[in-house]
Amino acid sequence: MTKEIKVAENAYWVGYVDDRKVPFHRLTLEKGTTYNSYLLKTEKPTVIDTVDISFGKIFIDKLSEHIDPAEIKYIVINHVEPDHSGGLPALTNKAKDAVIVTTELGAKELKEMYRLHDREFLIVKDGDKLDIGGKQLIFFETPYLHTEETMITYCIEDKVLYPCDIFSTHVATYKLFNDLAAEDITEDFEVYYQLIMHPHRPYVQDMIKKIENLEIETIAPSHGYILRDNPQKYIDSYDRMSKPTNEEKNALILYSTMTGNTRTIAKELREGLEEKGIITKVINVKKNADVNQIKEEIENSDLILFGSSTRYADIVGGIEEVLKELAEMDLSDKFGVAFGSYGWSGEAIEVINDYLEDSNIKVIDSSLIIKSTGIDDLKFPIRVKFSPGEIESQSLKESAYVVGDLLLA
């Protein structure tokens, strides 16, 4: 039997150290990484997260040195990416009666990824608790840290936070605990934050609010070092690095409308941007058609949103006169977004986007958002069929938040 690596009383590390140069998110991890999984040997034995999909058999062999996997009652999956959930198929094959604990979206994705439709899932939300026999777990949803389904787990009795990717480092270490590290881990910790978490920093602030009243003695993430020496230092570091900058940013919303639907979209976008602290000006181009004045407004803005209704597959109002001027302007330091309402196919929005692509403005589209933030449920250009209802209004607000965060980065 290998030496037990204890995280807390009756809580053990059962992960895998990957000391290769590891391909990861279009990067190469020169220092390797670890896939940290944890076993809580309580009356209802519980595993928190697993390992990369490449190491499922090794994971089960290691786990079996601590416990017969058939005895496991709960498997907590904080985050479904295969570097953390990849050991789940091998584990569920052995732990045939174990209940999988995750968020609603997490359950949906795990069922599809690993064909687990016949397994029992326990869906948890913010503040839900689970008694595992001698210990209580409490769960908090942390969407977009760094994917939408993510949650974190806190053990009340042990005062241990299990936050999966949050507070991680990409270092292959057999020492595992930050107080045993041969060198200062601050740089590795902050580089990981910048690469993985910083694009989602508003959600980092939300997460910090959720954990601020927890008594945390150890942070046990799913990559790299377990933080048992001064864990508050690392929470404070995330707080500092994720706070908004004080630099003032300006947005300009230009639109033309037929029946007022595009005006409503512009209003929703403005409200969302202003909630992010971005000074936002809105101009109805149909009523204010002075192209030279509008060009001056564009030059004084950091973000410009161009919107139009669609009429007979075309743009309405005078906004095309403005769009024709963009190719002759230097917009390389600005972001541009196309938006609009439509009743059928909505060609005007795509025509606007074509004009933006023909200029040197940085066009915000779905590809840029996914690559910058990992968010894939918001679509750019922004298209709304007829007038925005409650669901569309919420989506518009979220789109404005995401665009605002990109501007403030």
Side-chain angles (χ1 to χ4, degrees):
M1 181 175 179
T2 58
K3 180 182 177 182
E4 288 185 335
I5 299 173
K6 184 180 283 190
V7 176
E9 190 64 30
N10 295 322
Y12 304 93
W13 180 87
V14 288
Y16 180 78
V17 178
D18 190 352
D19 55 10
R20 308 168 298 153
K21 291 185 178 181
V22 181
F24 185 83
H25 284 243
R26 297 181 60 81
L27 303 170
T28 298
L29 305 179
E30 297 291 335
K31 294 184 178 182
T33 193
T34 67
Y35 307 108
N36 299 337
S37 175
Y38 303 95
L39 169 65
L40 279 57
K41 291 179 72 172
T42 58
E43 294 170 22
K44 301 174 183 177
T46 299
V47 171
I48 298 179
D49 293 317
T50 67
V51 300
D52 185 81
I53 196 168
S54 304
F55 308 110
K57 183 180 184 306
I58 297 172
F59 169 61
I60 295 300
D61 291 344
K62 180 184 289 289
L63 185 64
S64 298
E65 295 177 355
H66 294 266
I67 191 173
D68 179 354
E71 297 177 22
I72 294 169
K73 300 301 181 187
Y74 294 107
I75 304 167
V76 176
I77 300 294
N78 285 313
H79 171 41
V80 305
E81 277 197 315
D83 55 330
H84 304 298
S85 69
L88 188 58
L91 181 54
T92 53
N93 188 49
K94 299 290 185 180
K96 295 187 181 297
D97 296 324
V99 176
I100 302 167
V101 183
T102 190
T103 61
E104 183 176 4
L105 181 57
K108 180 180 178 181
E109 293 181 350
L110 290 170
K111 288 175 184 179
E112 295 298 327
M113 286 173 65
Y114 302 120
R115 301 189 179 185
L116 295 171
H117 298 86
D118 295 332
R119 293 301 297 238
E120 183 180 354
F121 281 78
L122 174 62
I123 307 302
V124 294
K125 297 180 180 179
D126 264 346
D128 284 354
K129 293 180 181 179
L130 177 64
D131 188 337
I132 60 172
K135 298 180 191 286
Q136 277 198 97
L137 304 180
I138 184 168
F139 307 99
F140 300 94
E141 294 178 89
T142 54
Y144 301 115
L145 294 181
H146 60 118
T147 52
E148 187 180 1
E149 85 298 335
T150 308
M151 69 179 194
I152 59 178
T153 302
Y154 174 72
C155 181
I156 296 172
E157 289 75 15
D158 296 340
K159 301 174 184 175
V160 176
L161 181 69
Y162 298 95
C164 202
D165 273 335
I166 305 166
F167 302 117
S168 284
T169 48
H170 275 314
V171 177
T173 173
Y174 292 90
K175 297 294 186 181
L176 285 173
F177 296 95
N178 67 322
D179 55 314
L180 301 180
E183 56 188 25
D184 187 355
I185 72 166
T186 300
E187 182 177 356
D188 290 315
F189 180 81
E190 292 188 353
V191 166
Y192 180 98
Y193 166 84
Q194 292 295 335
L195 289 174
I196 306 299
M197 294 295 159
H198 192 65
H200 313 274
R201 58 199 174 283
Y203 300 99
V204 172
Q205 286 291 307
D206 292 342
M207 177 273 297
I208 289 172
K209 289 184 178 68
K210 291 184 180 185
I211 68 172
E212 63 185 357
N213 293 322
L214 301 178
E215 189 175 350
I216 299 172
E217 292 185 355
T218 301
I219 299 174
S222 288
H223 288 301
Y225 287 102
I226 298 168
L227 309 171
R228 66 183 180 187
D229 178 35
N230 194 9
Q232 188 61 45
K233 166 186 172 182
Y234 300 95
I235 297 171
D236 292 343
S237 180
Y238 263 50
D239 186 29
R240 171 180 54 80
M241 292 188 290
S242 64
K243 281 199 168 136
T245 63
N246 292 323
E247 184 181 354
E248 188 174 273
K249 295 291 184 179
N250 294 276
L252 174 65
I253 301 176
L254 303 171
Y255 75 93
S256 289
T257 188
M258 289 192 303
T259 62
N261 292 339
T262 302
R263 179 174 62 245
T264 302
I265 297 171
K267 177 177 176 291
E268 299 276 6
L269 292 171
R270 177 181 186 170
E271 288 176 358
L273 290 169
E274 289 181 339
E275 286 178 22
K276 285 292 180 181
I278 297 168
I279 299 169
T280 306
K281 186 170 186 176
V282 179
I283 296 177
N284 182 344
V285 176
K286 193 173 181 180
K287 293 182 178 180
N288 300 276
D290 186 331
V291 174
N292 289 327
Q293 181 183 350
I294 291 172
K295 287 173 63 178
E296 186 176 334
E297 295 284 359
I298 290 172
E299 289 171 352
N300 292 328
S301 301
D302 304 292
L303 164 70
I304 307 96
L305 299 93
F306 300 86
S308 175
S309 306
T310 299
R311 183 173 184 269
Y312 299 138
D314 206 352
I315 301 171
V316 304
I319 199 164
E320 191 161 16
E321 296 306 310
V322 177
L323 291 165
K324 288 176 180 177
E325 297 289 328
L326 300 185
E328 306 300 322
M329 301 175 68
D330 182 8
L331 307 172
S332 57
D333 61 343
K334 306 179 190 305
F335 287 100
V337 181
F339 73 93
S341 67
Y342 66 101
W344 288 269
S345 48
E347 292 89 346
I349 305 153
E350 302 305 321
V351 173
I352 291 173
N353 208 61
D354 289 342
Y355 273 109
L356 299 185
E357 293 285 358
D358 287 340
S359 75
N360 66 349
I361 202 168
K362 291 176 279 191
V363 181
I364 297 178
D365 57 17
S366 291
S367 175
L368 177 64
I369 293 298
I370 290 170
K371 287 184 284 190
S372 300
T373 69
I375 295 171
D376 66 354
D377 61 328
L378 299 174
K379 305 302 180 187
F380 293 83
I382 299 169
R383 301 163 55 87
V384 176
K385 196 164 188 177
F386 298 114
S387 180
E390 184 177 345
I391 294 174
E392 291 82 6
S393 291
Q394 182 59 35
S395 179
L396 287 168
K397 197 69 69 73
E398 291 174 2
S399 295
Y401 292 163
V402 170
V403 171
D405 291 335
L406 197 62
L407 185 62
L408 295 169

